[in-house]
Amino acid sequence: MILSRLSDYLRQQRRASVADLALGLDASPDALRAMLGTLQRKGRVRRLDGPRCASGCCKCDPASLELYEWVTPGS
């Protein structure tokens, strides 16, 4: 997968979970996390605090709770 494809997807969606990105880009969550780390270091995306499960059941897919947002210049 090319970094530009991930960038384009996030730029269009503005905000997405790793699970949504994996589904939309047909890529593994681990590969996406590596690319998201690169984009984060470049200041193009930021990781958001995702929702927390109040019950602490741990049944939610961690990738569905890991959110990233495209950073527009000046924001």
Side-chain angles (χ1 to χ4, degrees), residues 14-15 43-46 48 69-75:
R14 308 219 3 112
R15 188 178 291 168
R44 297 200 176 119
V45 300
R46 69 176 146 236
L48 302 173
E69 177 178 57
W70 184 256
V71 176
T72 55
S75 65

Side-chain angles (χ1 to χ4, degrees), residues 18-54:
V18 171
D20 289 338
L21 292 167
L23 184 63
L25 298 170
D26 194 28
S28 76
D30 289 335
L32 289 167
R33 284 184 185 100
M35 289 185 274
L36 287 162
T38 299
L39 291 172
Q40 202 171 10
R41 285 189 297 281
K42 291 181 175 188
R44 297 200 176 119
V45 300
R46 69 176 146 236
R47 185 175 175 174
L48 302 173
D49 291 330
R52 301 282 180 235
C53 182

Side-chain angles (χ1 to χ4, degrees), residues 3-25:
L3 213 59
S4 63
R5 195 165 154 224
L6 173 59
S7 296
D8 290 343
Y9 187 91
L10 253 181
R11 194 176 303 118
Q12 290 173 352
Q13 300 299 318
R14 308 219 3 112
R15 188 178 291 168
S17 69
V18 171
D20 289 338
L21 292 167
L23 184 63
L25 298 170

